[in-house]
Amino acid sequence: MQRVSNWLLMATMGGAMTLAAMAFKTGAEQVMTQQGLTAQQYLQIKAADLDKAQLSYPDIAPLLEQHRANTQLRFSQLGQSVLGTPIWQIEIGSGPVKLLAWSQMHGDESTATASVMDLLQLLATAEGQQWLQGWQDKLTLRLIPMVNPDGAAAGSRFNSMGIDINRDAKALQTPEGRLLMQAARDFKPDFGLNLHDQNRFYAVGDSNKQATISLLAPAFNEAKQIDPVRQKAMQLIGEMRDLMARELPGYLAKYDDTFSWRSFGDTFAGMGISTVLIEAGGHPADDNRQVARQLITQLLVLSINSLSSGRYQQQPLSAYQAIPFNRDGGIKDLLIHNLNIEINGQRAKVDLAVDLDIEGAKQARLRDIGDLSIYGSYHQFDARGLSYQPPKAYVLTKPLQLTEQAYLALLRQGYSHFSGDERLLSIDTRLPVLLNPAGLPGDTPQRQRRATFLLANAQGVQLVLLNGQLLELSSGKLLNPLGT
Ligand SMILES: [Zn+2]
């Protein structure tokens, strides 16, 4: 049908535009309107230099400055943070359906801020411009990237007063929370997208897969009733579920739906805004959450398409209800399976869970011991046939030049770390070396102790766990370098 009408239009216009160009324009617009942003298209439009674990205002300021040249993006400064960093709002389109999206109200949750920058980047391309023409008279979008720039600068969840902005929706004591509330009151959006990051240890229900994306239509009361406003949010999530099933099946969960009176999502839900919470989560070999970043960009495009066309209204609530809940602690950093231990003559075969403490001081610890077969993990190792051997210090009494070969030789002899005067040790290896570590386990693995010990069989030490990283002595290779 579309092709025929193009021909008719061409005839009317007297061939002012070439047929090929016309067909291309219509095609590009339709493809993205109907199918959304494909993974392949995403790689072409992705904003540069944002592949980082933590984004702060200087990361996005040059991009915002660059996009101000795009006349279809209407920038306004909503205000500033406690410490004086500007907080911007960008308005796009002018249609009757109103969508407000905001990111990084928790300063250390920056994944979706990159997605918002990706969306602006998309709108700067010819393809994105065509796409915009398809919805700009149906929907008005307002974006507020990085609501908490002070927290972002400090790598902290909180604002510079130490307040959790997402628990300030009622008290409104933070300038950042006040300006978000004011933005919502001024705009009166139909829909809200509340963009966050969640911890990397959530599993999708009973599965062993990471919750790379979690979604929620927050409750507006303790009874978690479903009114028409919440129902629309659930239907939009049904659309998002379809996208996730196409792009990354098995990695979508639902966030805890306990009513949170002080939070913005729940408060907005009670103000008549159909609000969707989107949480970026972990994924294997993805420390900077670029997988979640791409998915959220795709979810932003999908939301615009679905809300501007009304397509979401066809989603049954059962689609939302079928999404499994987050399982807290369902994922571990490292699982070591089937390790032999012995205490007081009693032998046992156990699994060990190791927390790498990636976002903290990177002091890896043993978190669990026993049958851990119900958990998933970023890294795993089957230690069948190997036994736990306690860590042992090599005492430094004279200068030691620690080459890789010398180090591997000491590890084979059963040493796991060094004690004594650190100045005596000259480290000439890229392998992790532990100097005077505290809190090591004893004759058997112990919870909360540091994750450092040896794994041996009758032929001797085969592997060493060095601060949560497994070093295979035969190859000299780390099996799980620190990270996801
Ligand atoms: Zn958050």
Side-chain angles (χ1 to χ4, degrees):
M1 276 309 278
Q2 191 63 46
R3 194 166 292 253
V4 173
S5 61
N6 279 351
W7 275 104
L8 289 174
L9 191 61
M10 280 298 297
T12 327
M13 288 168 70
M17 198 180 260
T18 71
L19 177 63
M22 190 87 183
F24 172 76
K25 284 182 81 173
T26 310
E29 173 194 319
Q30 281 191 339
V31 166
M32 210 181 292
T33 304
Q34 286 163 13
Q35 296 174 11
L37 181 69
T38 65
Q40 203 175 6
Q41 287 169 317
Y42 174 77
L43 293 177
Q44 288 160 9
I45 62 93
K46 176 180 178 181
D49 303 326
L50 299 180
D51 183 353
K52 298 178 180 177
Q54 168 70 22
L55 300 179
S56 56
Y57 189 73
D59 293 305
I60 64 166
L63 294 170
L64 294 174
E65 190 55 43
Q66 174 195 323
H67 289 303
R68 288 181 75 110
N70 184 344
T71 52
Q72 272 146 332
L73 311 184
R74 298 181 291 277
F75 279 72
S76 55
Q77 187 179 340
L78 291 178
Q80 57 184 34
S81 66
V82 174
L83 298 181
T85 300
I87 298 168
W88 296 96
Q89 177 176 274
I90 304 136
E91 185 182 70
I92 306 152
S94 53
V97 179
K98 294 191 277 185
L99 170 62
L100 177 69
W102 64 98
S103 74
Q104 212 172 343
M105 59 195 304
H106 291 142
D108 58 349
E109 300 176 9
S110 61
T111 301
T113 295
S115 308
V116 171
M117 294 302 121
D118 291 337
L119 183 68
L120 298 182
Q121 190 62 41
L122 168 64
L123 290 168
T125 65
E127 216 167 6
Q129 286 284 311
Q130 287 299 317
W131 172 62
L132 173 60
Q133 283 178 25
W135 60 264
Q136 62 186 357
D137 58 348
K138 300 187 182 79
L139 181 139
T140 306
L141 171 67
R142 287 188 181 175
L143 301 165
I144 310 175
M146 201 176 283
V147 172
N148 181 7
D150 295 349
S156 159
R157 175 181 178 89
F158 311 106
N159 85 336
S160 56
M161 298 164 159
I163 298 174
D164 184 336
I165 297 169
N166 204 25
R167 302 291 180 272
D168 193 38
K170 296 294 195 301
L172 294 174
Q173 291 303 296
T174 60
E176 299 89 351
R178 279 197 295 273
L179 67 80
L180 176 59
M181 180 57 79
Q182 195 56 48
R185 284 180 180 149
D186 290 345
F187 187 37
K188 299 182 179 59
D190 303 291
F191 289 85
L193 298 177
N194 186 9
L195 307 172
H196 289 256
D197 273 79
Q198 63 185 358
N199 85 53
R200 67 184 183 280
F201 301 124
Y202 287 123
V204 175
D206 290 331
S207 83
N208 59 6
K209 289 199 167 97
Q210 288 80 2
T212 303
I213 295 288
S214 292
L215 302 170
L216 176 74
F220 63 93
N221 62 12
E222 292 282 354
K224 303 187 221 175
Q225 281 176 307
I226 302 172
D227 66 348
V229 170
R230 189 169 181 221
Q231 178 173 327
K232 284 186 206 163
M234 289 175 167
Q235 287 176 304
L236 179 58
I237 289 176
E239 294 273 279
M240 295 175 171
R241 175 175 175 254
D242 291 345
L243 183 148
M244 287 296 295
R246 276 197 312 274
E247 297 290 331
L248 194 68
Y251 291 90
L252 172 68
K254 196 154 56 188
Y255 201 78
D256 176 14
D257 65 351
T258 308
F259 177 60
S260 175
W261 186 75
R262 301 174 297 166
S263 298
F264 271 91
D266 306 57
T267 301
F268 283 176
M271 287 164 57
I273 304 168
S274 299
T275 306
V276 172
L277 170 70
I278 302 181
E279 295 272 356
H283 200 70
D286 183 30
D287 286 353
N288 294 347
R289 300 194 173 183
Q290 299 299 293
V291 175
R293 170 188 170 185
Q294 173 183 325
L295 290 165
I296 293 177
T297 308
Q298 292 176 295
L299 290 172
L300 290 171
V301 170
L302 170 131
S303 299
I304 291 165
N305 287 341
S306 184
L307 297 178
S308 60
S309 67
R311 195 178 66 201
Y312 70 94
Q313 292 160 7
Q314 291 157 20
Q315 283 282 345
L317 289 191
S318 57
Y320 176 81
Q321 280 145 359
I323 302 171
F325 275 106
N326 272 350
R327 177 163 59 114
D328 196 2
I331 300 292
K332 310 294 179 188
D333 275 331
L334 168 66
L335 282 173
I336 299 174
H337 292 290
N338 301 309
L339 182 68
N340 296 316
I341 62 168
E342 184 174 340
I343 178 163
N344 197 27
Q346 296 284 328
R347 289 181 184 175
K349 197 181 281 181
V350 298
D351 305 327
L352 300 178
V354 175
D355 176 353
L356 297 179
D357 188 25
I358 293 169
E359 285 127 11
K362 297 188 169 54
Q363 297 203 342
R365 288 181 193 277
L366 300 173
R367 292 292 190 208
D368 205 349
I369 304 169
D371 176 0
L372 306 182
S373 56
I374 63 164
Y375 298 117
S377 63
Y378 288 97
H379 305 278
Q380 55 200 321
F381 178 74
D382 189 350
R384 201 175 298 268
L386 295 167
S387 298
Y388 173 87
Q389 186 172 313
K392 187 168 88 173
Y394 180 92
V395 183
L396 294 163
T397 53
K398 55 179 192 291
L400 176 63
Q401 176 79 19
L402 194 65
T403 63
E404 193 150 308
Q405 286 314 308
Y407 187 35
L408 288 170
L410 286 175
L411 295 169
R412 276 191 206 97
Q413 289 169 45
Y415 296 108
S416 55
H417 58 281
F418 297 88
S419 68
D421 187 349
E422 300 180 2
R423 289 168 302 182
L424 293 172
L425 192 65
S426 152
I427 298 174
D428 188 15
T429 168
R430 290 198 292 177
L431 297 172
V433 175
L434 307 183
L435 285 156
N436 294 310
L440 294 175
D443 289 340
T444 58
Q446 287 152 291
R447 288 163 197 252
Q448 311 310 332
R449 295 293 180 100
R450 297 285 295 277
T452 294
F453 60 82
L454 304 109
L455 296 87
N457 60 17
Q459 282 73 51
V461 178
Q462 303 301 317
L463 299 107
V464 185
L465 186 69
L466 294 166
N467 190 33
Q469 300 170 88
L470 270 172
L471 173 62
E472 186 180 60
L473 295 185
S474 61
S475 62
K477 284 210 174 89
L478 285 173
L479 301 185
N480 63 316
L482 211 58
T484 60

